[in-house]
Amino acid sequence: MNPLRGRQIVVSSEELKNYPTNEYQHREAMILNQQLYCQRCNALIIRQENVLPNGVFFCSECQEFGRIRSDSYLVSVRGQGGEKEERSVNFTWQGKLTQLQTHIAQQLQKNYQAKQSTLLWAVTGSGKTEMVFPVIYLVLLKGGRVCMTSPRIDVCRELYPRIVAAFQEEQVLLLYGNSKEKYRYSNLTICTTHQMLHFYQAFDLIIVDEIDAFPYEGNSVLQFALKNALNPHGRLIYLTATPPNHLLQEVQQTFAIEKSPLRFHQRPLIVPECIWYNHWEQASHSRFHFKKFHRMILELLKDNHVLVFCPSIQFMNRLAKQTQTYFIEGQVASVNSTDPLREEKVQKMREKKYQVLFSTTILERGVTFEDLSVIVMGANHPVYTKSALVQIAGRVDRKGEYRRGRVIFFHNQKTIGMRQACREIKEMNQLAKGWLSK
Ligand SMILES: [Zn+2]
């Protein structure tokens, strides 16, 4: 098989002769449609800014994936969307799906067969990865090629061993910016959404995990690359616990929308308690303003460890320092995106080494801690969108026994984001009740 199958590479006009047109498709790297656009990332080329001394233009939007110029070509293998041959696939997953998970898994397969893409709206902790295994199996059986992608590297790394365990005989490929493995052809690829820029009409099914996460959300380059990587007959599955309104609108006409409102352990989501805190911004400045926070921490610690979300690093550091004075050394820690010990601290929290961990929004998704309560300081701060608040609330009671975990939104103004987050959580719990009574 041609190793370039499904890839697109940038070649100069001199190199083009090495890729004969009976086997390869040539596309100009940039197209003129009144304005000049890059065909790899769809960016508009600003001619005054992106011109070389010889009058050739280049794209600055996607240059991190290798320079692309107006006199170069995108080369890919011809005829990839055609009929596929069925093959045998060994599905080695040992787990068992719940009744609702089985229903969702069947819907995903049905939609795929009906040539329809799906948005799976599955609450935090619902076990959405397991629900997509059967549709992956179906596509592989039909000889198709599957990609599981996520905007976040840590999600990809976490997915990899689980997918490998479910399909032990497949040569699963894991790709991201600095991944150890170089590209090779594989029927089952796991990669970051950035890697999509290297693919062209490659996949019969692309599953995007955490589609609403940074940096995919709001990034038109990645969104264009994703659609380009899907073959013309291919289907998409978007996975999210918190679909933004614009995404729901975008897919309303063309996608099936499936909702999975029930957590894997069958308990409802924890509804946030919105508690007025007049001067939460001053909590680290004076004992008086700190008192309310301190009391809540002590109360929550009776049952669980506490994760405190803060809207800025500066605020977080001050509040953590103040809190530390009431605890034994090492029981309180803080973590942010620039922290070199980030992974280590997250691991320590998993091992329940800290009483209280302070964090910026970096821990809003993707992490699971047992026996946890959560406080959001200043839930009315603009960094906390509806999605962020739903994700944060979703950190509590994810696994293990029920331990009366609580979600506290301290605020001094109720925002639309807070209202929507609480409403959405209650609605999902209501939907879940319907499933539980079946
Ligand atoms: Zn570009």
Side-chain angles (χ1 to χ4, degrees), residues 99 262 266 430-438:
Q99 190 192 4
L262 199 54
Q266 317 273 302
Q430 201 58 38
L431 267 183
K433 268 189 194 161
W435 273 98
L436 282 175
S437 58
K438 274 190 185 174

Side-chain angles (χ1 to χ4, degrees), residues 29-30 37-45 58-63 66 68 197 221:
M30 290 175 195
Y37 291 91
C38 171
Q39 287 241 64
R40 184 166 63 180
C41 75
N42 207 31
L44 171 68
I45 310 295
F58 63 93
C59 178
S60 53
E61 272 306 312
C62 65
Q63 62 184 353
I68 184 162
L197 277 113
V221 167

Side-chain angles (χ1 to χ4, degrees), residues 268-274 393 405-408 422-423 425-426 429:
L269 297 162
I270 307 297
V271 178
E273 301 164 52
C274 297
R406 290 168 66 187
V407 178
I408 308 294
C422 294
R423 192 184 334 135
I425 288 169
K426 286 179 193 159
N429 282 345

